[in-house]
Amino acid sequence: MGETRAPEPPEPTEHYIFNDSLTVVLEHGFPWDSLPDLNPIERERMTAHHAVRALAELCEGLIRPMTFGVTRNWVDEFDLPAGGYPPRWNWFLRTPQSPPDARSIYVDPQVVETVTLDEQSMLTLVDRVLDDPCEAPEGVRLAWEEMRVDHTWARLPEPERHITNDELRIDDHDNKARRVLVPLEHRHGHMWVTRPKRMVWYPFLLRVNKYDDSIEMTISVNWSFWWHPGEGRAMLDRAVDRLVRQGWFTTHP
């Protein structure tokens, strides 16, 4: 019998999906000592609106969010987590264009539908989260805790170099798969990409956490297009620089 030989694996592509996210972390502080008479819930609203506007500024021309999540918690007189959660603590905004399987990573979400996911719809949701009535236990008050964008499209840099025969293929290191076909969409003169089916990582994940006197944004980059040197990384750096000019500072890397 003739010897059978296993087929050669396809050649690796230039770009790939990471095993684990690589991150950029930014922080913005708030001088509460200079605003001693500010109502606590309005302080929550100020930080929440600032976080949403920063997310919108970061995403401009680079990322299209498909979902938006907000959680809330109890904090004590020192603005520290007091343990436990209020009712309706997890809120999840989606549109008819969100992936059919898009879900909050947390349990018991209050799902809100919107026609368009943009800065205004995110601001409307955070106001709803902060204004939703609930009776606080003695010694604690309501606060927002975290915002998340877990499902994204991203603008592809240099599509004429990466797309062949109207297809884009990349390697998925997390799933040990080569030449995975990537969904493409033409939109406003640019090419946009999102997660292939049965894969784990969307191009970007975004998270904002609130602390007593600051908010912290984590930009998780999952595909090499926007991390390695080149036009994609330059797009990300320009987006981060816009936030730095607005008073944010990078804490990592």
Side-chain angles (χ1 to χ4, degrees):
M1 294 179 63
E3 181 180 346
T4 59
R5 181 177 299 175
E8 292 290 329
E11 288 294 315
T13 60
E14 177 185 0
H15 286 282
Y16 51 92
I17 302 173
F18 298 136
N19 284 331
D20 296 299
S21 300
L22 300 172
T23 60
V24 177
V25 182
L26 302 102
E27 187 173 324
H28 190 286
F30 294 89
W32 298 134
D33 290 344
S34 65
L35 299 167
D37 299 324
L38 188 64
N39 181 286
I41 198 66
E42 292 310 310
R43 191 162 76 179
E44 295 296 325
R45 200 179 313 277
M46 179 187 294
T47 57
H49 282 206
H50 199 97
V52 166
R53 293 186 177 116
L55 285 171
E57 183 68 36
L58 176 79
C59 289
E60 181 66 31
L62 175 62
I63 301 167
R64 279 170 39 212
M66 292 191 287
T67 62
F68 175 62
V70 185
T71 61
R72 61 184 191 172
N73 64 346
W74 300 125
V75 296
D76 62 20
E77 60 180 315
F78 303 107
D79 290 330
L80 298 175
Y85 286 91
R88 300 176 300 281
W89 65 279
N90 174 25
W91 298 71
F92 189 71
L93 186 66
R94 53 176 296 138
T95 77
Q97 291 74 45
S98 300
D101 60 347
R103 302 285 186 275
S104 170
I105 68 168
Y106 302 123
V107 299
D108 301 328
Q110 305 297 309
V111 179
V112 178
E113 298 283 347
T114 184
V115 175
T116 303
L117 207 164
D118 56 13
E119 180 178 343
Q120 187 54 56
S121 62
M122 291 190 290
L123 288 172
T124 299
L125 182 71
V126 298
D127 283 341
R128 184 170 174 180
V129 169
L130 292 173
D131 294 335
D132 181 72
C134 59
E135 186 174 346
E138 185 176 355
V140 304
R141 65 174 181 83
L142 186 70
W144 72 272
E145 181 178 30
E146 181 185 66
M147 300 180 188
R148 297 184 66 94
V149 175
D150 289 323
H151 307 83
T152 57
W153 286 78
R155 181 180 157 193
L156 181 69
E158 303 177 294
E160 66 281 354
R161 186 163 74 86
H162 299 303
I163 295 175
T164 304
N165 298 325
D166 292 324
E167 288 186 349
L168 173 66
R169 293 183 179 272
I170 59 175
D171 296 339
D172 182 359
H173 286 192
D174 184 65
N175 286 288
K176 299 179 173 61
R178 284 187 180 177
R179 308 196 71 81
V180 177
L181 184 64
V182 174
L184 300 171
E185 180 180 288
H186 291 271
R187 188 182 180 98
H188 303 311
H190 300 291
M191 189 69 73
W192 296 78
V193 295
T194 192
R195 183 196 71 168
K197 290 183 178 179
R198 294 182 295 278
M199 301 304 167
V200 174
W201 298 115
Y202 283 85
F204 289 89
L205 305 178
L206 309 175
R207 186 177 77 248
V208 183
N209 292 93
K210 187 182 72 65
Y211 302 102
D212 55 347
D213 60 354
S214 67
I215 53 178
E216 180 184 82
M217 178 186 295
T218 301
I219 307 164
S220 296
V221 186
N222 298 320
W223 297 16
S224 62
F225 290 107
W226 301 279
W227 189 263
H228 296 326
E231 177 54 27
R233 181 55 189 256
M235 291 164 62
L236 174 61
D237 288 343
R238 288 194 293 269
V240 170
D241 286 345
R242 291 197 298 268
L243 297 189
V244 171
R245 290 196 297 271
Q246 294 179 7
W248 291 76
F249 61 92
T250 56
T251 61
H252 178 81

